[in-house]
Amino acid sequence: METQILFHLNQVGVIPALAEAEGPQSAEALAKPRGLDQRILETLLDYVCGVDSILTSTPDGYALTGFGRAVIARYGKETAEGFRVNMFDVRTGAYGPVW
C-alpha cells in the first residue's frame, strides 16, 4: 500500500516539493498548485507518516525527516521533467535494515 501511495505522490509532484522545501508544507500548499483534493492528500500523507519514517507531520505541515532526505538524496535525480525519485527502489527494492 505504501509503495503505491509514494509512487503516486512522487508522480504528482508532492515528494519533489517536499524535497525542495526548506520547512514543513501544509496539505493545502501541497495540494492546491497540483490540483489535488486536500482531504485525500492529507489522508495519504498521514498514512505514510504513520507507517514509515521518511515523512513527519508537524503543527506547520509535512516534511521529510533526516532519514527521508537521505533516501531522496540517494535515489533522487534531476531529469528533463524535473526532480524525480525512484519510489520502487526506495520502499520496495530497499530493505530497511540495510540503511
Side-chain angles (χ1 to χ4, degrees), residues 1-98:
M1 175 71 112
E2 181 195 8
T3 302
Q4 197 67 29
I5 291 170
L6 289 173
F7 172 80
H8 288 290
L9 290 176
N10 187 48
Q11 292 297 102
V12 298
V14 171
I15 298 295
L18 290 170
E20 294 169 358
E22 293 186 23
Q25 301 293 300
S26 70
E28 180 181 10
L30 292 165
K32 199 170 222 173
R34 293 163 186 83
L36 304 174
D37 184 315
Q38 178 182 333
R39 295 167 303 147
I40 294 171
L41 177 60
E42 195 165 12
T43 298
L44 296 172
L45 292 169
D46 285 342
Y47 180 86
V48 173
C49 289
V51 300
D52 201 344
S53 58
I54 65 170
L55 288 180
T56 189
S57 176
T58 73
D60 295 325
Y62 299 91
L64 291 169
T65 63
F67 174 70
R69 291 206 174 273
V71 168
I72 298 303
R74 168 65 180 90
Y75 290 100
K77 69 177 180 176
E78 195 64 43
T79 69
E81 292 82 34
F83 186 77
R84 292 288 176 223
V85 180
N86 185 338
M87 298 311 283
F88 181 80
D89 284 349
V90 170
R91 302 323 282 162
T92 301
Y95 179 61
V98 171

